[in-house]
C-alpha cells in the first residue's frame, strides 16, 4: 500500500496550558469551563478548561492508530471525523473502512465511513500535499462513554484500531438550529495592522466586518476560527485556504469572516470570540443564516464538497439583504 508523504505534526500531541483560558474567563465561568471540558471525547478530561488538541490519546491495535478529530459529540446524528496512521505515523489512504460503534458491550451502529482529502497548505498558503481523513455519521442514543472499532481493508490485508470517547449531554458550542453568538470581533477598522488580526502570511482579507455587523445587514455568514501559524491540529491553515478559494464565488451572497484563535499567542491569550463561542478545539467553521441561527458547523477539517453543500442549500432560502 502506498504511503502518503505527509505525517501528522508533533503538535497533534501538544496540550495548551489551561491557565490562559481559565485566567481569561469571567468570574463564575471557570467551573462551567471545567465541567464542560471534563466531558470531552478522546479522554481529554485531564485538560479541562484548555483548548485541547483533537487527537490527544489515540488508541491502537496492532500497527494502526486511530485519532478522532471531533470531540463535540452529542446524542443523535453526528459528524464523526478521524484519521488513521500507520506504524511510522503517516496518514493512511487507499483503504476501505468499516466502523462499529458500541456503548459498553452493545453495538449501536455499523458504518462505512467516507474517505476524503483536502489540499494541505502551510501558513503562507503554500501547497504541502494532501490531508486524508474519514467521515462517518453515527447516531448515539445516550451520553456517556463509547467505543469506535475500525477495520481498514487494503490489498495487503486488514488492520484494526480502537478509540474510546465520550458523548456529551449538551454541546459546548451553539448547535445546529440554535442562535449563533453575534460577536463584535475586531476588524481592520479597529486594528489597521492586519498581522495583529491574522497569523497567515500575508494576512488573509477576511477581516472587514464583524459577525454582528454582517447579521445586522441581513447577510449570511461563513465564520471560521483558526490559527494558521499556531495551529494545534495541522489543518487550520488548510481550511482557511479553502475559504479563501471559495469566497470570490459566494461573496455576493455570504460574508466570510476569519477570527484568529489567539489574541496574543506569546501570552496564550485567546481572542474574546473564542471564549464567547465556548470553543475548546480548533479550527471551527460555522455557517450563520440571516436569522442568526447556526445552519452549518464543522469541527476540525472539511473539504470543498462538504462546505459548498451547506452554502448552496442556504442560497435557496436567501432573502434580499441590506446590501
Amino acid at each position: 500500500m502506498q504511503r502518503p508523504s505527509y505525517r501528522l505534526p508533533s503538535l497533534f500531541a501538544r496540550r495548551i496550558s489551561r491557565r490562559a483560558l481559565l485566567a481569561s474567563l469571567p468570574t463564575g465561568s471557570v467551573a462551567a469551563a471545567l465541567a464542560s471540558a471534563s466531558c470531552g471525547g478522546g479522554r481529554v478530561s485531564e485538560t479541562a478548561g484548555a483548548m485541547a488538541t483533537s487527537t490527544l490519546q489515540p488508541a491502537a491495535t496492532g500497527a494502526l492508530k486511530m485519532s478522532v478529530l471531533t470531540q463535540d459529540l452529542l446524542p443523535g446524528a453526528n459528524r464523526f471525523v478521524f484519521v488513521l496512521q500507520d506504524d511510522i505515523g503517516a496518514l493512511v489512504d487507499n483503504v476501505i473502512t468499516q466502523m462499529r460503534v458500541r456503548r459498553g458491550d452493545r453495538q449501536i451502529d455499523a458504518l462505512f465511513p467516507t474517505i476524503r482529502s483536502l489540499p494541505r497548505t502551510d501558513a503562507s498558503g503554500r501547497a504541502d500535499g494532501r490531508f486524508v481523513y474519514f467521515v462517518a455519521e453515527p447516531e448515539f442514543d445516550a451520553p456517556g462513554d463509547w467505543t469506535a472499532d475500525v477495520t481498514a481493508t487494503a490489498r495487503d490485508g486488514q488492520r484494526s484500531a480502537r478509540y474510546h470517547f465520550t458523548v456529551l449531554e449538551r454541546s459546548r458550542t451553539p448547535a445546529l438550529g440554535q442562535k449563533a453568538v453575534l460577536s463584535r470581533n475586531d476588524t481592520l477598522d479597529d486594528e489597521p495592522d492586519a498581522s495583529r488580526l491574522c497569523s497567515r502570511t500575508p494576512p488573509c482579507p477576511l477581516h472587514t466586518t464583524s459577525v454582528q455587523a454582517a447579521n445586522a445587514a441581513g447577510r449570511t455568514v461563513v465564520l471560521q476560527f483558526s490559527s494558521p501559524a499556531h495551529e494545534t491540529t495541522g489543518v487550520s491553515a488548510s481550511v482557511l485556504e479553502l475559504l479563501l478559494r471559495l469566497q470570490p464565488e459566494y461573496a455576493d451572497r455570504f460574508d466570510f469572516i476569519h477570527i484568529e484563535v489567539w489574541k496574543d499567542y506569546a501570552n496564550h491569550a485567546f481572542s474574546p470570540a473564542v471564549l464567547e463561542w465556548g470553543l475548546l478545539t480548533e479550527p471551527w467553521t460555522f455557517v450563520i443564516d440571516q436569522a442568526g441561527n447556526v445552519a452549518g458547523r464543522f469541527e476540525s477539517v472539511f473539504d470543498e464538497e462538504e462546505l459548498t453543500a451547506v452554502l448552496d442549500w442556504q442560497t435557496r432560502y436567501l432573502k434580499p439583504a441590506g446590501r
Side-chain angles (χ1 to χ4, degrees), residues 129-180:
R130 299 190 71 84
F131 189 92
V132 180
Y133 64 101
F134 300 83
V135 179
E137 296 182 356
E139 290 198 22
F140 305 123
D141 61 4
D145 295 330
W146 288 72
T147 300
D149 291 302
V150 167
T151 301
T153 304
R155 291 181 179 178
D156 57 355
Q158 289 186 335
R159 288 180 292 173
S160 62
R162 175 171 295 167
Y163 195 91
H164 302 285
F165 59 95
T166 301
V167 174
L168 310 175
E169 291 186 11
R170 55 184 178 275
S171 180
R172 299 167 175 145
T173 66
L176 286 173
Q178 293 184 346
K179 285 295 183 182

Side-chain angles (χ1 to χ4, degrees), residues 21-33 275:
L21 179 57
L22 297 182
S24 304
L25 289 171
T27 302
S29 298
V30 172
L275 304 179

Side-chain angles (χ1 to χ4, degrees), residues 28 69 74 86 88 127 139 158 199 207 225 229 238 266-267 273-275 307 320:
L69 307 184
L74 304 170
D86 63 16
I88 62 171
E139 290 198 22
Q158 289 186 335
S199 66
H207 298 273
F225 294 88
S238 303
N267 293 309
V274 168
L275 304 179
L307 180 58

Side-chain angles (χ1 to χ4, degrees), residues 1-3 86 92-95 154-156 159:
M1 181 173 63
Q2 180 181 2
R3 290 181 173 180
D86 63 16
V92 172
D93 62 2
N94 297 328
V95 295
R155 291 181 179 178
D156 57 355
R159 288 180 292 173

